[in-house]
Amino acid sequence: MPHPPMSSPRNRGKDSRAAWIVFAVGIFAYFSAVAQRTSFGVASVEAADRFQTVAAGLSMFSMMQVLVYAALQVPVGVLVDRFGPRVLISAGAVCMVLGQLQLAAAESVTAGVIGRILVGAGDAATFVCVMRLLPAWFSAMRVPMLSQVVGMTGNLGQLFSVIPFAALLHAAGWVPAFITLASLALLSGVLSAALLRSAPPGVNVLNDSISFATVGATIKESLREPGTQLGFWVHFAVQFVGNTFALMWAYPYLQNAQGLDATQASSVMTAFVLVNVGVSLGVGKLSAVFARHRSALALSFCAVIYGGWALMLLWPGEAPTAVVFIAVGMLALSYPASMLAFDIVRSFNPPRRGGTATGLANVGGFIASLAAIYLTGLVLDLQFAAGVSPTLYDAEAFRPAIAAQGLVAAVGIIAVLVCTRKVRKVHGPQSI
């Protein structure tokens, strides 16, 4: 089938200079959101001292952040289909500003958790909205690659938290470091409010018919689509590994279980981010070329990602530094590979419910992350309380604590296999 002419309403303004400006602002907003999201993982050791809490209490910060993020994905998806990305991204930036200022001033666990809840709410309003911009502003062949650029830029946001934020935290202290992050969120909010638009002039991609009466029907339509279900479970199975590592347990694990100092741990996390960035475009290319084999691609990436944890957990004693770098590099595939979920969702849902379906799929990885973060903290605390571990973050205690995440992985893999069969039954054996 020939492509529509560039002058048609369907393609008006796509791939234009204005499109690239919108894209640049959108990915900066996501860069900022990921920097806010991952900042607490970098500061978790300092937070344990500041708030005088045990592992399960410390995990509450990230758990509540992830819980709020996951809970808001579907509402955000519905709202962006109705009101557009500019409103949602700008409002999200304001929430993150308030959240980081709250955390900067917090001196109790409750006050700190409130700050992370606000950060989670603001972060929730960013990714789905940026992804919603891509098909409106760019031609179909560009979208899979640009999706990976979005993810890659998010990884650079994590790099910001790993290097400049961590350095500022250690040099200037808790309050200045989190105020700086609040300033970054403020800048992204101002740029988004000023420059973002939902679609090129004269093109309407918003669903003006969405109301409280129709929201339920839109969600049900998206949920009934087997492609949305598969996207949810692919995101569940793939993304939680990197999320759990980066948001919560990376620094405690690397410093206590692998014996690295703060500088070495930062170097490992820098490598984690650089691998993300380095492979993102390659994953996007694979997704575009093997569009009918995305489920198999996702499962292949799962084998590599889970293998990274197996390598560290099965190594007797502390693994050599080179092995730690290799294993963490394998974990790092989690983020770019998780973007396959959104390519799957986009293939089986019409644009009018694109935000809603993307939001539903995005919930998957964060529900899995919530479970994995909690399980890890719970197993650490149980071992310490029972006297099995001499210290809370004992090196050997991390082996069963991290291994408990295998329960989450098993659920995800089984569900991906089941949903792949459902998609092929409805859309044909060559559909995925």
Side-chain angles (χ1 to χ4, degrees), residues 377-411:
L378 177 64
V379 174
L380 286 171
D381 280 343
L382 288 174
Q383 292 177 94
F384 182 59
V388 175
S389 304
T391 61
L392 181 62
Y393 288 157
D394 180 69
E396 290 304 312
F398 269 103
R399 294 186 192 273
I402 298 297
Q405 296 179 21
L407 296 172
V408 180
V411 170

Side-chain angles (χ1 to χ4, degrees), residues 54-95:
V54 296
L58 192 62
S59 68
M60 284 297 296
F61 286 84
S62 293
M63 282 177 58
M64 291 305 298
Q65 174 191 345
V66 171
L67 180 62
V68 170
Y69 184 103
L72 289 178
Q73 285 306 289
V74 175
V76 165
V78 172
L79 289 172
V80 73
D81 283 343
R82 174 63 181 85
F83 297 106
R86 178 173 62 164
V87 173
L88 273 295
I89 292 175
S90 302
V94 171
C95 281

Side-chain angles (χ1 to χ4, degrees), residues 336-384:
S338 71
M339 302 297 286
L340 290 166
F342 306 111
D343 292 336
I344 291 169
V345 166
R346 190 169 50 250
S347 297
F348 295 102
N349 283 276
R352 65 180 178 83
R353 62 172 191 251
T356 303
T358 299
L360 286 166
N362 201 30
V363 171
F366 289 91
I367 289 177
S369 300
L370 185 66
I373 287 170
Y374 177 74
L375 278 173
T376 304
L378 177 64
V379 174
L380 286 171
D381 280 343
L382 288 174
Q383 292 177 94
F384 182 59

Side-chain angles (χ1 to χ4, degrees), residues 4-5 15 26 82 89 108 137 150 154-155 189 196 198 211 271 278 356 385 388 390 423 432:
D15 304 324
R82 174 63 181 85
I89 292 175
S108 68
W137 282 96
V150 172
N155 294 329
L196 286 185
S198 298
S211 64
T356 303
V388 175
V423 170
I432 192 67

Side-chain angles (χ1 to χ4, degrees), residues 21-22 25 86-87 90 187-197:
I21 292 173
V22 167
V25 174
R86 178 173 62 164
V87 173
S90 302
L187 176 60
S188 75
V190 170
L191 290 174
S192 298
L195 298 174
L196 286 185
R197 298 295 182 271

